[in-house]
Amino acid sequence: MSKIKPSLKPDNAIDTRPDISSAAIKAALAALGLLCILSTVVFDKTREMSGTVFSVMSLTALLLLAGFLLYEKKLNTQNAALLIMAAGFVIRLDYVIYTPLSETVRVRQHDLFAFGGTKGHSAYIEHFYNNGFSLPNFDPTTRVQFYHPPLHHLLAAMWMRILTTFGMSYSRAVGSLQFLTLFYSSCCMLVSERIFTKLRINGLPKLLAISIVAFHPTFIILAGSVNNDILSILFILLSVYSTLVWYEDPTVKNILYIALSIGLGMSTKLSAALVAIPIALVFLIKLISDKKNVIENIRQFCIFGTVCLPLGLWFSIRNNIRFKVPFTYVQRLSEESDQYIGDKTVFERLFDFSYHPFENVFLNRIATGADFYEYNPFVAIVKTSLFGEYCFKDIAPYCRILLIMNIIMIVLSLAATLMFVVKKSKQVDKTEKIFLVFFQILMFVYYIKFCFDFPHNCSMDYRYIVPTCILGALFIGASLQQFEIDNGKKKALTQTIRIVVTSCVAIFCLSSIFVYIALGA
């Protein structure tokens, strides 16, 4: 039985003008794909380029367009959201342009290694490129990063094969791999917008949530990172969105979308399976609460499992049968590595702040000039969510402003999450709240466990729990909207809260834009 939510039309200041239609999102997706293909041809990725002029001109043009629409009284939620996402794409593209990648040059990459070698994501991609897209016939644990499911690497190899078939040099095809990850990162904005829309977040609260996703540094960095992180994140977001769609309209088609999203996510990176746990909780709640359709729900769950399990686990099952690789296998660094921090006690790692952790804006690493390796995962979240594992010494003063704003945004997000849980809402029901909040908590628990299971400095990177950024943005938008509904008659209080939240988000986004344009200047 379909569950239809009432339309949200509060008698207060919330903007209820036209929202983005599905047709507009499809058009934006098509335009995004074309722009990435065009960028592949236009920009030479075999040498360092500065996209500063391009990005400043593009952002200025978008700002002028926004001013024109405002003057013409046509700047509604739809137009504003599309302009914000367009600006988010520009910043991502700028980052990709000035972040060089070739067979031997790799800047700000995770476990990529040089092309032409035998280890890392580069060798995994080249294996498919050179071997007719056939799977490795050796124990994947004997090669660095080959234990990962192969979807991302297969797509990357296919992309390179298409480009070289049409005459592009191999070196340029290698550089063009960043335009694939640019596409995935930009798609995350579109899917996030769909999630916000599905939960009836509109007007200014929705624009603030979209802005956080559009300009968050993590998505900028991952737009240029040629590994499987950003594609797995995209599938996780699609899983969340598909679950919300199925919860409102529980049809076989919609549950198949969930199965495909989770299955493809696990075929990209096995940790994407984490999203299946809160989704299973939604299924259980649905089964218990919808007693009239128990048989139909069980039938759908069986269909879900029939599609999701083989699609998500086929690679792990193959490796377990052929090479006795454990299903949860993850390659780990040696305890002899200089990044090893397992000698620290649990108390030291979680509660020791005596070393003044934020004196250095960036993640403390001996490799980047610090005296020690960062060992506190909470501090690492704050830093790596902005700058990854990297150090931007030339623009450190500007980075400190972004760091301060990030701390403020984290506090704001935690407060918004608490309000999201406590306050009754017309646009988000109890089951959806349980689903979203449980997933948020689960990701943080997983992150802390991962940090202790693999006690190395690089294991604390925020890239392992990036969906928390989208959920944090969602909680801020939903809580601000609910606050305005509950306090619509208290205009002074409502306006003050609106100004404070908007100012925090705006300064955070502008700081991020400035840092990542300055980085390539």
Side-chain angles (χ1 to χ4, degrees):
M1 182 181 295
S2 296
K3 175 182 175 292
I4 301 175
K5 293 184 181 180
S7 177
L8 183 66
K9 295 181 178 179
D11 295 327
N12 56 31
I14 292 179
D15 181 8
T16 56
R17 289 175 287 181
D19 213 332
I20 301 180
S21 65
S22 296
I25 288 294
K26 291 176 182 177
L29 181 61
L32 177 61
L34 289 173
L35 283 170
C36 288
I37 293 172
L38 179 62
S39 299
T40 300
V41 178
V42 171
F43 296 111
D44 183 355
K45 291 298 300 163
T46 64
R47 59 188 175 84
E48 186 173 359
M49 298 178 64
S50 174
T52 305
V53 175
F54 159 78
S55 59
V56 170
M57 288 180 64
S58 298
L59 292 175
T60 301
L62 289 172
L63 193 61
L64 290 173
L65 178 56
F68 173 76
L69 291 173
L70 182 63
Y71 177 77
E72 294 291 325
K73 298 182 179 179
K74 294 181 180 179
L75 189 63
N76 55 24
T77 301
Q78 170 175 302
N79 293 333
L82 289 173
L83 287 171
I84 290 169
M85 289 189 285
F89 173 77
V90 168
I91 296 300
R92 286 161 170 78
L93 177 58
D94 181 28
Y95 179 81
V96 166
I97 292 171
Y98 68 68
T99 302
L101 176 67
S102 67
E103 292 149 291
T104 56
V105 177
R106 56 196 186 279
V107 176
R108 292 184 292 274
Q109 298 293 331
H110 297 291
D111 304 316
L112 183 64
F113 296 94
F115 282 80
T118 59
K119 61 182 181 180
H121 293 288
S122 58
Y124 203 176
I125 292 169
E126 284 188 314
H127 170 85
F128 291 117
Y129 182 88
N130 294 324
N131 294 280
F133 309 111
S134 61
L135 290 169
N137 59 2
F138 51 82
D139 184 345
T141 65
T142 62
R143 299 273 190 93
V144 177
Q145 301 305 324
F146 275 65
Y147 74 94
H148 282 292
L151 181 57
H152 164 73
H153 307 86
L154 270 168
L155 292 174
M158 290 173 64
W159 176 250
M160 287 179 62
R161 178 60 67 185
I162 290 170
L163 294 177
T164 54
T165 298
F166 281 93
M168 183 176 285
S169 69
Y170 185 81
S171 188
R172 283 201 65 188
V174 167
S176 74
L177 289 173
Q178 288 179 303
F179 293 112
L180 271 184
T181 50
L182 168 66
F183 178 75
Y184 302 150
S185 178
S186 300
C187 282
C188 288
M189 288 189 291
L190 298 177
V191 179
S192 298
E193 188 281 331
R194 290 291 85 185
I195 293 172
F196 303 152
T197 298
K198 182 56 62 179
L199 294 172
R200 303 296 194 275
I201 303 172
N202 55 30
L204 178 65
K206 179 178 179 179
L207 296 180
L208 295 178
I210 291 174
S211 297
I212 294 171
V213 179
F215 304 116
H216 198 283
T218 287
F219 286 104
I220 299 172
I221 293 172
L222 290 179
S225 299
V226 184
N227 66 0
N228 54 356
D229 284 331
I230 191 62
L231 182 58
S232 70
I233 292 164
L234 176 58
F235 282 124
I236 289 171
L237 295 181
L238 285 168
S239 300
V240 172
Y241 173 65
S242 300
T243 301
L244 296 173
V245 171
W246 176 84
Y247 180 64
E248 281 197 7
D249 185 16
T251 63
V252 172
K253 181 184 75 171
N254 288 336
I255 206 168
L256 280 174
Y257 285 142
I258 306 175
L260 288 171
S261 298
I262 297 176
L264 292 173
M266 292 173 65
S267 288
T268 303
K269 193 171 185 178
L270 201 57
S271 59
L274 194 68
V275 73
I277 299 174
I279 290 174
L281 182 59
V282 174
F283 288 171
L284 180 61
I285 293 173
K286 183 69 175 177
L287 184 64
I288 294 172
S289 62
D290 189 9
K291 296 180 180 179
K292 293 181 180 180
N293 296 287
V294 172
I295 302 300
E296 171 60 18
N297 287 330
I298 292 176
R299 184 178 78 91
Q300 288 193 24
F301 299 156
C302 290
I303 293 171
F304 169 85
T306 302
V307 174
C308 182
L309 293 177
L311 186 58
L313 294 174
W314 69 272
F315 188 70
S316 297
I317 292 172
R318 169 190 180 270
N319 290 340
N320 182 262
I321 293 172
R322 291 193 61 182
F323 308 109
K324 308 301 181 185
V325 179
F327 282 91
T328 57
Y329 175 81
V330 176
Q331 285 176 334
R332 63 170 64 231
L333 293 175
S334 167
E335 292 187 7
E336 302 301 317
S337 168
D338 60 349
Q339 289 196 47
Y340 182 71
I341 50 178
D343 56 332
K344 300 290 183 181
T345 66
V346 173
F347 181 85
E348 284 178 314
R349 292 201 61 188
L350 295 180
F351 304 109
D352 178 18
F353 299 99
S354 62
Y355 65 96
H356 305 293
F358 296 111
E359 185 174 338
N360 180 11
V361 176
F362 311 104
L363 191 71
N364 283 300
R365 310 189 82 183
I366 294 175
T368 56
D371 296 328
F372 65 99
Y373 277 98
E374 198 90 58
Y375 51 84
N376 188 304
F378 299 122
V379 175
I381 285 178
V382 178
K383 293 181 177 182
T384 60
S385 63
L386 300 177
F387 316 114
E389 299 170 32
Y390 315 114
C391 181
F392 310 149
K393 289 184 178 179
D394 292 341
I395 54 172
Y398 309 120
C399 292
R400 183 166 295 280
I401 296 173
L402 181 56
L403 179 70
I404 293 169
M405 290 311 305
N406 193 39
I407 294 172
I408 293 172
M409 289 297 297
I410 290 171
V411 172
L412 182 62
S413 176
L414 292 173
T417 304
L418 181 62
M419 182 176 177
F420 183 82
V421 172
V422 173
K423 288 286 187 178
K424 290 184 178 180
S425 172
K426 292 182 180 179
Q427 70 267 31
V428 184
D429 74 10
K430 188 175 181 180
T431 300
E432 290 168 329
K433 282 189 175 185
I434 292 172
F435 168 51
L436 297 169
V437 174
F438 177 58
F439 186 32
Q440 184 82 322
I441 294 172
L442 182 66
M443 280 188 286
F444 277 111
V445 171
Y446 163 78
Y447 171 80
I448 296 298
K449 182 178 184 300
F450 185 79
C451 289
F452 281 95
D453 287 346
F454 301 89
H456 289 84
N457 178 266
C458 60
S459 299
M460 299 188 296
D461 198 315
Y462 181 73
R463 65 192 175 95
Y464 296 113
I465 53 167
V466 173
T468 58
C469 168
I470 284 86
L471 293 183
L474 186 157
F475 296 148
I476 289 173
S479 297
L480 177 60
Q481 180 163 292
Q482 191 58 48
F483 181 86
E484 293 183 344
I485 293 171
D486 294 342
N487 300 276
K489 295 180 180 179
K490 302 175 182 177
K491 293 185 178 180
L493 177 62
T494 301
Q495 192 67 14
T496 300
I497 296 297
R498 175 180 275 234
I499 291 172
V500 169
V501 174
T502 302
S503 299
C504 289
V505 173
I507 297 172
F508 173 79
C509 292
L510 290 172
S511 299
S512 177
I513 291 170
F514 184 84
V515 164
Y516 279 91
I517 288 179
L519 182 62

